[in-house]
Amino acid sequence: MARGVLSFPLTSFHDDGTLDPDGLRAHLAAQIATGPGAVFPACGTGEFFSLDEDEYRQVVTVAVEEAGGRVPVVAGIGYGWAQAVRFARIAEEAGADALLVLPHYLVAVPQDGLVAQLEQITARTPLPLIAYQRGQVAFGADAFRRVAAIPGVIGLKDGHSDLDRLQRLTLAAPEGFLFFNGASTAEIQARAYATVGVPAYSSAVHAFAPEIADAFFTALHDGDDGTVEKLLREFYVPLVELRDRVPGYAVSLVKAAARLRGRPVGPVRAPLTDPSDADLADLRALLTTGLDLVGASL
């Protein structure tokens, strides 16, 4: 998975909020055609939290069909362990290769509880798991050692960007354990994550501008600091500033940018809201700038 950008596709909805399977298939086909390191359907960017079980089944099934074995399909699961297992069984039946365990809902819990959550899930699915620490989920070194020792847990995605903590975890990990940079707009911190042994990262930008995401990934891995810094300065940092204007824009802006490029992804579902007209105008200008930087067009 470290050989390419990790793709977190959007979930397509009609204007009335119902699932759009045809739009989803077209979006996934375009994403997979760019050759990502893996595709992660029905995760945060894919609005997992708003899908019912039947919709989830359709999303994962379409992802598996479009991937066709060319790239791994890692489906999102979440909530408490009992609900996570229901989604895990659906993902298994749909043909997913692995599961990303999204942070549990609402409650703060002790470290023992974080470990037990993963133990309960792995006991009930044969699919390998990647844990996701973000929000109220943050593993200490002792708990992480126990997590990494659970049969079936193969990796950790980090969204806290606490590099001190993360370095301690990478040093405590068994050989072959996978780590992923899951920070919002992960490219901003990609160089910093790589210094603690975490070169792989997810890219929300890949969902609407794979040309930009791939150009950044290539420059980063080729040591082309000039291109990396130009893209950061002129595209990624302004994107983060725009993203931070309104809660939920980490998903809403991505979907809006995809629509600006003619992708059939539709609106977001409540409680998310689509961007204002003013923010859409700024997004269009920024997207045009970013695409110009890599020799592409809107």
Side-chain angles (χ1 to χ4, degrees), residues 2-291:
R3 299 195 194 106
V5 175
L6 303 179
S7 173
F8 282 67
L10 300 158
T11 297
S12 298
F13 298 120
H14 294 294
D15 287 343
D16 65 0
T18 57
L19 186 69
D20 178 6
D22 292 336
L24 173 66
R25 187 174 295 277
H27 173 60
L28 276 161
Q31 289 289 290
I32 292 167
T34 65
V39 60
F40 289 69
C43 293
T45 306
E47 297 178 76
F48 166 79
F49 53 85
S50 75
L51 301 175
D52 67 28
E53 292 182 14
D54 181 62
E55 292 168 333
Y56 177 84
R57 184 184 301 275
Q58 293 182 68
V59 169
V60 179
T61 298
V62 169
V64 170
E65 290 174 352
E66 291 301 322
R70 290 173 291 169
V71 296
V73 175
V74 184
I77 62 172
Y79 306 116
W81 67 259
Q83 291 170 290
V85 168
R86 290 173 67 92
F87 284 104
R89 288 172 178 159
I90 294 169
E92 179 189 352
E93 292 167 0
D97 298 294
L99 304 168
L100 177 66
V101 183
L102 302 170
H104 64 269
Y105 174 69
L106 189 62
V107 293
V109 300
Q111 294 286 292
D112 286 348
L114 296 178
V115 177
Q117 164 92 335
L118 294 170
E119 289 175 335
Q120 294 287 352
I121 298 170
T122 55
R124 292 165 173 82
T125 178
L127 294 180
L129 304 184
I130 298 169
Y132 189 4
Q133 65 169 12
R134 188 171 186 152
Q136 66 269 39
V137 178
F139 294 104
D142 290 341
F144 171 74
R145 289 187 185 93
R146 293 163 59 195
V147 166
I150 299 172
V153 177
I154 63 169
L156 177 72
K157 183 182 179 187
D158 174 74
H160 284 295
S161 305
D162 181 341
L163 297 185
D164 179 288
R165 175 191 293 266
L166 188 58
Q167 181 70 91
R168 294 168 190 260
L169 301 189
T170 61
L171 293 173
E175 184 176 356
F177 196 84
L178 303 174
F179 286 91
F180 306 96
N181 166 4
S184 296
T185 316
E187 287 91 343
I188 291 286
Q189 300 185 64
R191 288 191 292 190
Y193 268 83
T195 64
V196 296
V198 185
Y201 62 87
S202 58
S203 174
V205 170
H206 191 272
F208 64 85
E211 306 96 325
I212 299 173
D214 289 340
F216 183 91
F217 182 89
T218 298
L220 182 66
H221 283 260
D222 288 350
D224 182 356
D225 289 338
T227 297
V228 166
E229 289 170 10
K230 186 175 184 64
L231 287 169
L232 288 173
R233 186 179 300 109
E234 298 185 32
F235 176 74
Y236 282 100
V237 169
L239 178 65
V240 168
E241 292 171 349
L242 180 56
R243 181 200 73 199
D244 289 347
R245 289 181 187 176
V246 176
Y249 267 16
V251 177
S252 301
L253 277 182
V254 174
K255 231 174 187 183
R259 291 195 301 273
L260 287 174
R261 302 202 71 195
R263 307 294 193 258
V265 297
V268 293
R269 275 181 172 174
L272 296 175
T273 59
D274 288 309
S276 67
D277 289 343
D279 289 343
L280 277 176
D282 290 344
L283 177 61
R284 178 185 288 274
L286 178 58
L287 182 54
T288 299
T289 296
L291 290 168

